[in-house]
Amino acid sequence: LRGGTPTRVIPFAQPGSLTRVYGVASGKGGVGKSSVTVNVAVAMAQSGLKVGVLDADIYGHSVPRMFGIDRGPTQVDKMIMPPQAHGVKVISTGMFTRGNAPVTWRGPMLHRALEQFLSDVFWGDLDVLLLDLPPGTGDIAISLAQLVPSSELLVVTTPQVAATEVAERAGTIAAQTRQNVVGVLENMAYLPCPHCDERIDLFGAGGGAAVAERLTTVLGHDVPLLAQIPLDVRLREGGDAGVPLVVSDPDCEASKQLRTVADRL
Ligand code: ADP
Ligand code: MG
């Protein structure tokens, strides 16, 4: 991976491509975008779909760890063969750096890297490709819209006002790129009380619904609130350990909500 010219066309951008491509976007970092991407992808694979995850957070790549992948891709002819974990094919710049060396590319290189991941990785016949986008309204989101015009966006936010404001901006980019926003996912929606049935609104309340409503107005099509995922320490532990929560505890509330999203995409 040298940011060179891609050797092949992007299969997902060809007319008649049957792969649904979703960019998972957020305004802020740390709202759970990568955790959501990984768990939704695995939930889809559990229900029999052929799924790929492209870690498009070039600087902040965290997807390989969350999948428990510590090996790099192999190369066959000029194609990059993505490693597979929990039934999902995965590619990330994290697989191409030595140790934990930072990626220090400038803007145009990011576009090239995304293009190469889309064209030169042997994805096979995927039903769904999920892209974990970097936070914010930056280059990569626009590149995705250019490279795969039919791609759609899933917006992740927390209930917090500061997060919802940026999430709205991330979503309204879609108006300029003419991308469909499939829905909003509110993560860290509440903390289930350990002693009773109550929900503790640690980060405020109503942010997800507010973003969905706002995007519906701005984009002029229905943008539903797809799910509210509670805070669950095992979601983080699973991410660190490389075993997604939908695998370790498929019946808990967070996993149910993540599956709801998987079923809607
Ligand atoms: P992003 O990709 O948006 O930066 P991450 O998926 O890396 O966010 O999540 C940020 C941190 O919050 C991680 O440590 C992750 O394990 C944790 N986390 C995400 N969602 C939840 C949740 N619902 N409950 C508990 N911890 C969570
Ligand atoms: Mg991330």
Side-chain angles (χ1 to χ4, degrees):
L1 186 84
R2 290 179 210 89
T5 312
T7 52
R8 289 166 201 252
V9 297
I10 295 173
F12 315 112
Q14 301 311 303
S17 166
L18 297 176
T19 308
R20 305 191 303 277
V21 179
Y22 298 103
V24 183
S26 76
K28 263 160 55 69
V31 299
K33 199 160 23 63
S34 302
S35 310
V36 162
T37 307
V38 169
N39 277 279
V40 167
V42 173
M44 286 175 153
Q46 285 172 334
S47 61
L49 294 173
K50 285 179 279 212
V51 188
V53 167
L54 193 166
D55 184 358
D57 195 346
I58 308 282
Y59 299 126
H61 51 81
S62 59
V63 164
R65 165 176 293 277
M66 290 183 178
F67 271 103
I69 296 174
D70 53 10
R71 58 193 187 282
T74 51
Q75 205 170 327
V76 175
D77 294 328
K78 284 197 167 164
M79 296 299 280
I80 301 164
M81 309 301 284
Q84 190 161 332
H86 304 291
V88 177
K89 289 179 179 166
V90 184
I91 206 75
S92 167
T93 41
M95 298 170 179
F96 297 88
T97 53
R98 232 174 275 122
N100 199 22
V103 179
T104 51
W105 297 338
R106 305 294 295 267
M109 282 287 281
L110 297 182
H111 182 90
R112 289 277 194 82
L114 181 64
E115 194 174 16
Q116 243 192 322
F117 280 162
L118 288 166
S119 60
D120 294 351
V121 171
F122 186 77
W123 292 107
D125 283 327
L126 292 183
D127 295 307
V128 181
L129 178 68
L130 295 179
L131 290 94
D132 184 16
L133 299 179
T137 51
D139 287 347
I140 285 280
I142 295 165
S143 289
L144 172 63
Q146 284 172 356
L147 295 167
V148 187
S150 63
S151 60
E152 302 179 62
L153 296 178
L154 172 68
V155 174
V156 180
T157 184
T158 68
Q160 208 175 355
V161 174
T164 60
E165 284 171 353
V166 247
E168 275 172 30
R169 286 203 294 275
T172 44
I173 287 252
Q176 283 146 42
T177 57
R178 297 203 181 83
Q179 277 169 303
N180 192 47
V181 176
V182 274
V184 175
L185 189 158
E186 187 182 70
N187 188 29
M188 310 186 187
Y190 58 89
L191 182 68
C193 170
H195 312 293
C196 65
D197 288 340
E198 265 177 51
R199 299 174 167 195
I200 303 162
D201 294 329
L202 212 60
F203 293 129
V211 174
E213 202 176 302
R214 183 92 186 94
L215 290 179
T216 298
T217 309
V218 172
L219 300 174
H221 68 77
D222 184 38
V223 180
L225 175 62
L226 296 177
Q228 291 179 291
I229 299 168
L231 278 155
D232 188 328
V233 67
R234 296 167 315 151
L235 198 60
R236 183 198 50 75
E237 289 167 349
D240 290 344
V243 183
L245 187 61
V246 293
V247 173
S248 61
D249 188 355
D251 297 320
C252 69
E253 179 60 20
S255 290
K256 277 185 203 155
Q257 292 289 318
L258 288 157
R259 243 189 341 268
T260 307
V261 179
D263 292 343
R264 291 281 290 271
L265 295 185

